[in-house]
Amino acid sequence: MTRIILVRHGRSNANDRHVFAGIYDTPLSALGHEQARAVAAYLSEHERIDKIYTSDLGRVYHTVLPTAEALGLTPIKDKGLREINGGQWECLSFDDLATYYKDDFNTWNTDTANARPTGGESVREVYERIVAHVKALAEENQGKTILLGSHWTPIRALLAHVLTGTHESICTPAEPPEVKNASLHVLGYENGLFSPIEIGITSHLDNLP
């Protein structure tokens, strides 16, 4: 069995500014760097990781970097783990999206599974991309434990697949659970199938703001 650990990036400057950051390369905030160090401490104590893959965007790379340094590993930058392409929404405030892209943004908020940022990638496309890509990484690393650093939409999409088998559940209240900044989620992969092992690990963040 391949053991897959998913980590969402820590708090970013875009999170603090309440702007939409898909492929926009926003850095981690000060809190985000603290969260990254907390992730490293938790994983160093609880897991034996063989390889680390990370979205090539800075907020994810710098979230997994402390873990990589603690374990003596080199993070592999991987565009397949990127956030949704936000098209015309990139780097705009949520207030601006509600004003200038009212219909598409309303779909994002009320029917996320079937949403598409104006001019960008659809949530369904992210779902298909991330499921296929993580399957390929799991097959490539059979019997190993791999850490995958990614973003809110890809992780939610993958968890929706694992827990319900469809992208339609990406934002239902019960499944998958909320994907908080710097949260961890552990999956298994064997014989072409994913299984949940431990979802929504946040205990390492308890002493942070």
Side-chain angles (χ1 to χ4, degrees):
M1 182 181 75
T2 306
R3 188 175 173 90
I4 302 161
I5 305 169
L6 306 172
V7 59
R8 184 190 172 197
H9 63 81
R11 183 88 176 169
S12 72
N13 284 358
N15 294 145
D16 285 347
R17 293 164 51 211
H18 303 289
V19 302
F20 192 96
I23 60 173
Y24 169 63
D25 201 3
T26 180
L28 289 178
S29 67
L31 174 58
H33 285 288
E34 288 187 61
Q35 291 171 333
R37 290 189 288 271
V39 167
Y42 179 90
L43 292 176
S44 297
E45 180 179 354
H46 293 92
E47 297 286 349
R48 295 172 65 97
I49 296 170
D50 298 296
K51 197 176 290 187
I52 299 175
Y53 296 87
T54 173
S55 163
D56 62 327
L57 299 176
R59 60 192 184 273
V60 180
Y61 177 80
H62 288 287
T63 297
V64 305
L65 186 59
T67 300
E69 292 174 341
L71 300 179
L73 298 172
T74 300
I76 300 167
K77 292 185 177 181
D78 185 342
K79 289 185 177 180
L81 298 173
R82 274 189 172 194
E83 180 59 287
I84 191 169
N85 184 328
Q88 296 172 35
W89 292 9
E90 295 287 349
C91 209
L92 292 181
S93 72
F94 293 115
D95 287 342
D96 283 344
L97 296 182
T99 299
Y100 300 112
Y101 300 97
K102 183 177 180 180
D103 291 343
D104 286 347
F105 191 57
N106 182 62
T107 302
W108 177 268
N109 288 320
T110 61
D111 187 18
T112 308
N114 296 299
R116 180 191 297 273
T118 310
E121 186 180 20
S122 74
V123 171
R124 178 61 181 266
E125 288 166 346
V126 174
Y127 175 88
E128 293 173 349
R129 162 169 65 86
I130 198 67
V131 170
H133 191 64
V134 175
K135 279 186 176 180
L137 291 176
E139 293 281 0
E140 182 182 328
N141 292 280
Q142 289 187 38
K144 296 180 180 179
T145 296
I146 56 176
L147 176 65
L148 308 183
S150 192
H151 306 257
W152 186 87
T153 314
I155 294 175
R156 290 280 299 202
L158 185 59
L159 293 180
H161 174 75
V162 173
L163 296 172
T164 71
T166 173
H167 81 292
E168 292 288 349
S169 66
I170 189 169
C171 276
T172 56
E175 294 184 312
E178 182 52 82
V179 176
K180 296 180 179 180
N181 289 112
S183 60
L184 298 163
H185 314 269
V186 185
L187 310 176
Y189 180 85
E190 191 169 24
N191 299 324
L193 297 174
F194 291 103
S195 59
I197 295 176
E198 190 171 4
I199 306 299
I201 302 168
T202 59
S203 59
H204 53 292
L205 305 174
D206 286 348
N207 294 323
L208 297 178

